[in-house]
Amino acid sequence: MFLATTIRAENPWHVSQLNKEFYTFEGLVHCVYNHLDYFVEDLQSGAITTWLMTQLCMEQLSIELKAIAASGGTVVALVEALLTASAYTNSLSIDPVKEAYKAYVAMPSNMRYKSKGDQALKENQFTEALKYYKNALAVGYLAEIENNIGITYMALDHNEQAMKAFNRCIEGQDRLEYRLNRIRLLIHMGDYEGALKALNHLSGRYDNHEIWYQYGVVYEALNRSEEAIAAYMKALEGDHGDKYLKGFIDFVLKEGHIQLVELWMAEHKVTSDQRTYVKSQVARVKGDLVHYIHLMEYLIEMRPNHLPYIFELIDYFVEEGQIIRALEFVGLIPKEFQSMEEVWYYKVIISRAAGNRSDFHHQVVEITDKWKGEARKVAVR
């Protein structure tokens, strides 16, 4: 058994799909163990072996890995050598690696690229996702890959490319999911009449809660209040999920119909979190802002990974000019979500709101200045 080096790499190994960098041997090996599909090509090409040699000076291990590769050894054999090279990892079972590699080999190559693209999209690494999806299409066409390209372009606000992708997707395979994504793009572009026409076409073929929710969004944008309320309520008949409840509650309260919200809540079964959220929104509309903040803080404590709750309070405090409080809630965002582009969006909003006001503590100015620079890097990625 080799003992892993205590040297820290000058140039880290970057895993773009996870937006993580590794400076130590143990950190990298644990990631290989849990995300083998991200490393297969780098293990086969010898890129990881070279990094271990040049960055961590692990000469003996590098020689062993090269010998395994030269003798036709499998990726599993290479990973097993990595695991046994340190007391921190040599007790891990190789069986999960074998199963992961078996699944990787069995997967068509275009689906391998799609899998990587899906993970990048999940992490909001849109440029990276697009690269993998295009590679996937180059190997073999699938409508679901084209659909994801459309979603990615829409996230990047490249609307013309997104529309072309969705149109090609629907031509290849006409599914409700793909048509709904095209409707979301029309709404995103502000083409509400076009979206309404597309929804009318779909509603004649399907009775689906997502269709009714999108009707609500469109009617709201067109200032057709009664129709919007009816559509949101129709969506809730099929699904009481957070998305549909929020759409209904937000619009109805904006219209001042507090009693309608209270009546709906009394007649329907919802989760305790949802009930608390509705109470918070009612409190905000009534002007009981202390109670509103208290209820939202409670929800964040109960569901720390549910970012919409955090984003809502950030929005509220920015609107109220309470930049320090907004910063506090950015600090509550779990570390694994800090690289999401939506999180950067909120950092930029806070940076703009902070401006150069001299009454803020110097640390706040330093933080927001740092964010401005980092946000620019994200914007041009």
Side-chain angles (χ1 to χ4, degrees), residues 191-209:
D191 185 0
Y192 303 116
E193 293 295 344
L196 185 58
K197 182 178 179 180
L199 284 167
N200 289 337
H201 174 74
L202 280 187
S203 64
R205 299 167 58 188
Y206 305 95
D207 184 17
N208 180 277
H209 53 264

Side-chain angles (χ1 to χ4, degrees), residues 77-92:
L78 293 170
V79 174
E80 192 164 22
L82 291 174
L83 292 176
T84 56
S86 170
Y88 295 103
T89 56
N90 65 4
S91 62
L92 295 174

Side-chain angles (χ1 to χ4, degrees), residues 7-8 13 15 49-50 75 77 83 87 91 115-116 118 155 191 197 242 246-247 250 266 314 345 352 362 365 370 377:
I7 296 176
R8 182 178 170 86
W13 185 275
V15 183
T49 301
T50 300
V75 167
L83 292 176
S91 62
S115 177
K116 293 179 180 180
D118 290 347
D191 185 0
K197 182 178 179 180
D242 290 349
K246 180 174 171 57
D250 287 354
I314 292 174
Y345 165 79
R352 288 174 179 168
H362 71 277
V365 176
K370 178 188 176 192
K377 292 177 184 177

Side-chain angles (χ1 to χ4, degrees), residues 29-59:
V29 174
H30 273 289
C31 193
V32 171
Y33 187 78
N34 291 303
H35 300 282
L36 179 65
D37 53 324
Y38 298 158
F39 295 93
V40 170
E41 293 174 9
D42 291 319
L43 285 164
Q44 291 173 331
S45 69
I48 287 180
T49 301
T50 300
W51 183 82
L52 292 173
M53 178 63 193
T54 59
Q55 294 298 316
L56 299 181
C57 300
M58 300 182 73
E59 182 178 1

